[in-house]
Amino acid sequence: MGVSTNTILQIQNLEKIYPNGHHALKDISFDVVQGEFLVVIGLSGSGKSTLLRCINRLLNPSGGKILFQDQNITFSKGKRLRKTRSEIGMIFQHFNLIPRKTVLTNVLMGALSRTGILKSFFGIYSKQDRDNAYKYLEIVGLTGKANQRADNLSGGQQQRVAIARALMQNPKILLADEPVASLDPATSHSVMQYLKKVNQELGVTVVCNLHFLSLVRQYADRVIALKAGNLLYDGKPLEINEDWFKTIYGEEAVEVTIN
Ligand code: ADP
């Protein structure tokens, strides 16, 4: 009620308390608009990863609400949860590819929620899935690498394979948990540019955790900042001035730029 039709995700008073009592998310509320490129920043341990894992329900929230496409998914289970997960793609810091399999096989694994484990095990994919796999490999600039083993690729290329794999789910939203944290600066930009391309050309909404503010300024439409589980800032990247920087990262912090 009263929500604009282009809001894809609503986080309302979200709480996460881990079983050991650690209060990792405290009363977090924000909306994500369809097609937005939202970046989450904050010091290590501020709750960024916990937030993404609550959104795709790898973790169960302790309180509050998550509405995805106007459906309350906070505590959904079974078939409903599987459907939600299939509409939310995820990219991880360490790519999580199967190293000895080909690039194409890794991308096709993204269709698992449709194909089923047995068919996937025997490599039985539909023509549609294969066509899509090649289409997404082209989008991430890796057409020529389809038959190479994943572990023969550079880190940045492996992360691009992971993006293509996530696209196989035909996700409405892509969550990226520190996608460039294991990469060097030049490669980081390349991966961010492909994420931005996916966002702009396919219209997939992106929510991405990042360390470096310089990357945030270049790629984010909007940024939220977490500190010790609290939401400190929600606004435009360019409005994060020196004062905000110190508030978010601490008085001692010095900005490091990635060129
Ligand atoms: P970030 O992604 O910003 O580095 P995390 O979401 O990984 O932060 O962690 C937020 C806080 O929750 C940290 O203090 C971390 O130690 C704690 N934490 C993360 N996972 C667990 C867990 N499984 N059990 C207890 N505490 C955890």
Side-chain angles (χ1 to χ4, degrees):
M1 284 276 284
V3 173
S4 74
T5 48
N6 60 357
T7 302
I8 188 165
L9 184 69
Q10 293 168 267
I11 307 297
Q12 297 176 348
N13 313 105
L14 193 68
E15 301 277 343
K16 176 63 190 176
I17 301 169
Y18 281 109
N20 69 356
H22 186 83
H23 201 161
L25 295 176
K26 301 168 187 163
D27 197 24
I28 302 289
S29 297
F30 64 96
D31 288 354
V32 183
V33 171
Q34 167 73 50
E36 204 168 29
F37 197 115
L38 175 72
V39 169
V40 186
I41 58 170
L43 286 171
S44 206
S46 59
K48 304 182 296 298
S49 181
T50 303
L51 174 63
L52 290 200
R53 286 165 193 269
C54 283
I55 294 173
N56 80 349
R57 295 289 321 285
L58 281 171
L59 285 175
N60 288 321
S62 311
K65 261 191 200 171
I66 302 173
L67 302 181
F68 175 58
Q69 302 184 122
D70 289 335
Q71 304 240 6
N72 186 346
I73 62 159
T74 325
F75 301 110
S76 53
K77 293 194 175 76
K79 208 172 157 185
R80 177 88 174 272
L81 179 58
R82 284 197 296 280
K83 181 172 185 306
T84 300
R85 287 225 178 100
S86 76
E87 291 177 333
I88 301 180
M90 186 95 185
I91 295 167
F92 302 90
Q93 177 180 344
H94 297 293
F95 329 132
N96 296 5
L97 301 181
I98 304 174
R100 298 160 70 93
K101 295 281 186 188
T102 66
V103 165
L104 181 65
T105 303
N106 270 283
V107 175
L108 283 164
M109 298 293 276
L112 207 61
S113 62
R114 278 195 309 276
T115 318
I117 289 173
L118 202 62
K119 280 190 175 172
S120 169
F121 182 79
F122 288 108
I124 303 167
Y125 293 98
S126 68
K127 178 168 185 313
Q128 177 76 60
D129 280 340
R130 285 179 183 276
D131 289 350
N132 281 340
Y134 279 106
K135 180 174 96 183
Y136 295 134
L137 276 174
E138 192 184 337
I139 286 175
V140 297
L142 291 174
T143 311
K145 305 280 185 196
N147 296 314
Q148 289 204 15
R149 262 174 59 155
D151 55 3
N152 281 340
L153 269 55
S154 69
Q157 289 172 332
Q158 290 193 39
Q159 191 60 296
R160 282 149 60 191
V161 174
I163 295 173
R165 179 184 56 188
L167 291 176
M168 286 297 288
Q169 290 172 228
N170 194 20
K172 301 286 181 297
I173 189 164
L174 204 50
L175 308 179
D177 194 3
E178 303 278 3
V180 300
S182 333
L183 304 174
D184 57 49
T187 320
S188 295
H189 274 291
S190 164
V191 166
M192 290 307 296
Q193 279 160 9
Y194 280 109
L195 265 182
K196 191 81 184 169
K197 181 178 176 190
V198 163
N199 170 247
Q200 292 182 328
E201 292 183 13
L202 303 181
V204 179
T205 307
V206 175
V207 179
C208 177
N209 292 348
L210 284 179
H211 261 112
F212 290 103
L213 206 51
S214 57
L215 286 176
V216 176
R217 292 201 184 95
Q218 221 166 325
Y219 298 100
D221 296 326
R222 193 175 129 221
V223 53
I224 62 173
L226 299 182
K227 190 172 190 178
N230 295 292
L231 195 150
L232 276 194
Y233 179 91
D234 181 343
K236 297 274 179 221
L238 291 176
E239 283 162 15
I240 300 182
N241 55 19
E242 180 81 1
D243 283 352
W244 269 116
F245 182 81
K246 299 262 183 229
T247 309
I248 296 164
Y249 292 101
E251 284 297 327
E252 305 291 304
V254 177
E255 188 173 349
V256 177
T257 306
I258 283 203
N259 292 310

